[in-house]
Amino acid sequence: MAHRYILGISAYYHDSAAAIIMDGEIIAAAQEERFSRVKHDPRFPVNAINYCLEEAFIEASDIDAVVFYDHPFLTFDRITKNCAFAGESSYPVFNSAIKSMMGIKIWVEKHVCKTIGSAGKLGKIIFAGHHMSHAASSYYPSPYNNAAILSLDGVGEWSTTTIAKGDGNKIELLQEINYPNSLGLLYSAFTYYCGFKVNSGEYKLMGLAPYGNPTYVKEIYDHLIDVKDDGSYRLNMEYFGYLDTGKTTSAKFHELFGGDPRQPESAITRKEMDLAASIQVVTEEIVIKIARHAQKLTGSENLCLSGGVALNCVANGKLLKENIFKNIWIQPAAGDAGGALGACYVAEYMHFGGTKKTGDNKNDFQMGSYLGPKFSEQEIEAYLDRNRYPYHKMEYTEKNKTLAREMDNGKIVGFFAGRMEFGPRSLGGRSIIGDPRNPGMQSKMNLKIKYRESFRPFAPAVLREDVNKYFDLDTDSPYMLLVAPVQHSIRKPVEPLAGASVDDMIPVINQIRSDLPSITHVDFSARIQTVHTETNKAFYDLLAEFKAQTGCSVVINTSFNVRGEPIVCSPKDAYLCFMRTDIDVLALENYLLFKEEQPNFDDKENWQTKYELD
Amino acid sequence: MNRQLFEYHPTIGYKFIKSLKTRVAHEAGGYLLRTNNWGFRCENDFQIGKIPGKKRILFFGDSFTAGDGVSNKFRYTDVLETMLPDTEIYNFGLSGSGTDQQFLMYQEYGKDIECDVIVLSVLVENIRRIKSHYRYYYNDKNEKVIYAKPYYDFKDGAFQLFNTPVPSQPLTMEELPKEEQEKVDTGGRFGFARSVVNALGLKEITQKITKYQPVPEYNESNTPEWQVMREIIKQWKGMAQAKLIVIPLPLYQFVEETSDASNYQSRFAELTTELDIPVIDPLPEMRKYTMDERRNFRHKTDVHPTAEGHKAMAEAIYPELSKILEQ
Amino acid sequence: MSSTNDIDNKIKDIFDGIVTPNIGSHNLNTQLDAAAESYYEQPKSPAHVYYSFIDTSSQESFAKYIESFWNEEGTPQFAAKANELSALAFELSKDHESQSEELSPFVYTMY
């Protein structure tokens, strides 16, 4: 029987990506930035599409349908009506939108044909609704046969928040909140105001929140947003600029919070910490209310989450604790990149009427999100040999023993194994790892590897069976999308800091809070990845070996990149990152490279200015 | 991201990495490329012994045989495999290689493989490659670099192999001795003039008016280039475990009749008359198509054959090849 | 190919034709309502929120698409410049057709 292949594309906003499914099963998915090496690359994902066809190993003409994750004319409708609402002054917004929508986005078919030579058997592009793509990306790969589906993001066409119900093959959209009211844009307004980049710096704001006190919660509720008991909300647009100026915040917003936005890279003060804590609290409260409402509407005990807001793992952790739903599944590529995957499902189940696989409420169909390229040992060896980089080819178990020993000795390892992850998190496919028991590790990794602000905590990767030993969590969290407290049993008493400035985070950061100081955040929380042998044997076996040598089944797991750089994809990317940082050992599958054995690295590229900061 | 396709090889210079499964971006939309267990772009894994009841043909050549621009299954060798009953084809095509490297590849990998026929497909332009000692390549930063290649030449009355083991590291033009700088193959004649003409969109008309001859190295039997090629083929025949056949693959200028093919046709005909090597010339059959059809035998800008071009080549080669195979 | 000024003039003409006359006529949900129990809405544009097609096969067909889209949305007044919008889309699309470069088919990547 012939297979049905569907190619999904998300592009032109941020984090463009492509995905391909065969008869409803994921074959591949990847973000364009990993190939182009341009962080959050919004361009048409020529490389990601090429990779998807490579993984499926099919001709473009064998694709049954190509689906775009968004409806550009519906977005143009929204912008046109936005301008009619905002008045003559919105002409610049219209001018820019018309060029983008009419000049680029509606021409997906043309770009597809130019890139791969065919628009597939259907011969025309399917345009999936933006939020339907998000909803599909979280429901169809989930382990559930029915679910409430929440999609929360900045804006897609008109919608900003949608509640849908998944039942068997079908998704029914039930209720929504529309532009300009947006929880995502509210969070982004604070991201911008606190000096981080909108659409990518939100996770920094989330990381900053535990250092602050939620002192601005009342101001936010009193002035910025009106929230009903069912979680529905409207924003007070006087405080936002995006209706007519294209700017996120208005002068009134700045006035409310006592001045101009923080300049990027300037010192972070108590004010930013408290703002971050405040908007975090508001976000969590709203998400929980919406979830309660969605549960009532659908009657389901399962929840599927997607959209950029679903990457707020702190809110996700709180939501889990509320026990509104028995089960929660979050699409790991919850942002726009995941829309490419969702778009595939829209075509498969809504257009072609495919049959969804029956879920068991436990094991999802996302394959650990290891959906990107893998490099064979032959490819790695050819690369190393061609460049004459010294390496040690090891047996699998010997490699794990060596890496575990190196980590125990305080070394930092660049770990490159198997397929690259789809989504913003490194999950042991392309990760930098180290010993979380080492008190200096957080600072070393931040300053000498990531070259970034040191307030941001690192995430632990832990053997699934041991998660409850270290953390107050006893559920799967394979995608690092849940935050939970470290167990009291491993916490250490923290003395109040005497004489430290309220603006100075460093003494706070440096306090030892647990037996695993490098992954314990200031509020004793941790962003947890549970590691499963079924989805990543290589990473699991390494952790098991680390446990065997040290008694500790946790490692620090941070993304394999430097600040502002996309996560590495190829052996070459990994080698460059290895040589540009203080990573001590690079493991390319079973090939180990030690820093002290490498030749002098003549880095012609000024990478420290190449990568734009979030 | 382009995957690395080639690995260093001390005798040949480079070869495909084993067990690749990749898709190469290309102006025609991209093509699927698979390499086998020995590191050749072939759908069949290689083994020494023949499969009972099956005939086997080994094909050697450059990118036209390796199939740049098309997926494996569309190449003329793969089309031939579907046309010839109970026959498996081993494709040793290596992009960018010269006849010298193909001969070395045969010695290194092909000579022990049981087979019925050995085919050397000489893209007629390859004659230039066999006199070059170096070639340009792009490195991973998309910069042009020079790599050495092995080559044969007559020296001190003997036919000798040079540049082996092939140096593994790239060179710059400045690092080469002056006399060697002229031995870098730049990929065609009149490089600068060609780029100007192409940029002006005048390539085809210019070639027709000027009676452009892309391969003057075939003009006489005694050109040094032909002498080397002839000698390689002669030695190959002497070494071959099965009948050696030569197929001169035409450049598009010959197919589209903007250039005169008689010079190279004369030289290859001499292989039959002088060395008793069968030559299958696909050009006459390929010229039977209409001019519009022939234009579709190559890509819009890339001169490698399209799937249609490969099919036409296979159909042109098939009748004589099947006869030889039956003998 | 039109100059930037030509394009901008055409965009301004469309703005004047479909936005200016409708200023004030279209309401976005920006009013806070203390008395309301909920701000949730029923799904907007059900014809498009699941999936649909956009016909850009010709300038005429795209103009027809624009007209029928805004009719279906219940806002036909925005379709007043459907022909001009379609023509502009086709014109803008040409700006993004990159020129094909001369390839070097015999120069390979080697590293």
Side-chain angles (χ1 to χ4, degrees), chain A residues 320-383:
Chain A
L320 187 72
K321 275 277 176 203
E322 291 289 314
N323 282 321
I324 302 165
F325 291 92
K326 193 173 166 191
N327 305 302
I328 296 180
W329 194 84
I330 305 156
Q331 166 55 242
D336 275 10
L341 181 59
C344 292
Y345 289 124
V346 168
E348 172 65 23
Y349 297 112
M350 297 182 193
H351 181 73
F352 290 109
T355 307
K356 183 183 182 297
K357 276 195 174 175
T358 306
D360 63 1
N361 281 353
K362 183 167 167 52
N363 299 297
D364 66 37
F365 300 101
Q366 183 83 11
M367 297 157 62
S369 219
Y370 303 104
L371 304 173
K374 176 182 166 61
F375 292 82
S376 68
E377 296 218 328
Q378 289 95 333
E379 288 176 276
I380 291 167
E381 194 167 312
Y383 169 73

Side-chain angles (χ1 to χ4, degrees), chain A residues 4 13 41 175 177 202 215 235 267 299 323 377 388 399 437 465 467 489 521 534 536 552 559 585 593 597-598:
Chain A
R4 181 162 54 233
Y13 189 40
D41 197 340
Q175 290 185 335
I177 294 173
E202 280 77 6
T215 52
L235 299 183
N323 282 321
E377 296 218 328
R388 296 200 290 195
K399 173 195 79 171
R437 302 167 303 162
E465 59 270 28
V467 64
S489 57
H521 208 356
E534 299 84 5
N536 193 342
C552 174
S559 52
V585 187
L593 290 83
E597 295 175 357
Q598 298 309 305

Side-chain angles (χ1 to χ4, degrees), chain A residues 511-569:
Chain A
Q511 285 180 302
I512 305 290
R513 290 184 169 74
S514 79
D515 293 342
L516 306 175
S518 301
I519 55 88
T520 307
H521 208 356
V522 64
D523 59 352
F524 293 98
S525 68
R527 181 161 49 99
I528 298 156
Q529 179 199 0
T530 53
V531 180
H532 305 247
T533 188
E534 299 84 5
T535 49
N536 193 342
K537 188 175 183 309
F539 198 37
Y540 182 92
D541 288 349
L542 175 60
L543 262 70
E545 179 57 36
F546 188 65
K547 182 185 177 185
Q549 287 190 22
T550 66
C552 174
S553 47
V554 183
V555 297
I556 297 175
N557 178 8
T558 186
S559 52
F560 199 155
N561 60 346
V562 291
R563 182 170 77 152
E565 180 197 17
I567 294 170
V568 303
C569 173

Side-chain angles (χ1 to χ4, degrees), chain A residues 400-550:
Chain A
N400 286 337
K401 280 185 177 153
T402 307
L403 292 179
R405 194 170 55 241
E406 291 289 330
M407 284 193 288
D408 190 25
N409 290 335
K411 304 288 189 198
I412 295 173
V413 173
F415 191 71
F416 182 108
R419 295 181 70 176
M420 183 181 72
E421 302 86 344
F422 180 50
R425 304 280 168 257
S426 280
L427 302 169
R430 308 285 184 274
S431 290
I432 298 172
I433 54 177
D435 185 351
R437 302 167 303 162
N438 189 324
M441 196 52 79
Q442 179 176 2
S443 170
K444 183 178 175 189
M445 275 201 175
N446 266 324
L447 298 174
K448 296 196 168 178
I449 308 287
K450 309 292 274 191
Y451 300 101
R452 70 182 191 186
E453 299 95 328
S454 57
F455 70 82
R456 291 169 54 202
F458 286 105
V462 57
L463 293 174
R464 168 63 184 93
E465 59 270 28
D466 290 344
V467 64
N468 196 235
K469 193 173 142 189
Y470 300 96
F471 306 102
D472 183 14
L473 182 81
D474 201 7
T475 186
D476 293 353
S477 178
Y479 305 120
M480 213 183 266
L481 284 167
L482 293 175
V483 162
V486 298
Q487 289 287 19
H488 284 274
S489 57
I490 63 163
R491 291 190 192 183
K492 291 190 182 299
V494 181
E495 296 297 321
L497 287 167
S501 158
V502 291
D503 286 340
D504 191 359
M505 286 189 290
I506 301 301
V508 182
I509 292 162
N510 289 338
Q511 285 180 302
I512 305 290
R513 290 184 169 74
S514 79
D515 293 342
L516 306 175
S518 301
I519 55 88
T520 307
H521 208 356
V522 64
D523 59 352
F524 293 98
S525 68
R527 181 161 49 99
I528 298 156
Q529 179 199 0
T530 53
V531 180
H532 305 247
T533 188
E534 299 84 5
T535 49
N536 193 342
K537 188 175 183 309
F539 198 37
Y540 182 92
D541 288 349
L542 175 60
L543 262 70
E545 179 57 36
F546 188 65
K547 182 185 177 185
Q549 287 190 22
T550 66

Side-chain angles (χ1 to χ4, degrees), chain C residues 16-29:
Chain C
D16 291 342
I18 65 173
V19 176
T20 307
N22 290 306
I23 286 174
S25 74
H26 199 81
N27 190 31
L28 296 181
N29 292 323

Side-chain angles (χ1 to χ4, degrees), chain A residues 386, chain B residues 7-15 94 101 104 147-150 166-168, chain C residues 110:
Chain A
R386 174 55 86 182
Chain B
E7 62 185 3
Y8 169 70
H9 191 284
T11 311
I12 303 160
Y14 61 97
K15 64 184 276 291
L94 179 64
Q101 288 162 296
L104 290 167
Y147 277 100
K149 67 177 274 293
V166 182
S168 68
Chain C
M110 178 73 71

Side-chain angles (χ1 to χ4, degrees), chain C residues 42-61:
Chain C
Q42 289 307 299
K44 205 174 166 68
S45 309
H48 304 290
V49 291
Y50 289 90
Y51 74 90
S52 58
F53 299 94
I54 300 175
D55 187 351
T56 51
S57 54
S58 70
Q59 203 171 302
E60 293 71 32
S61 66

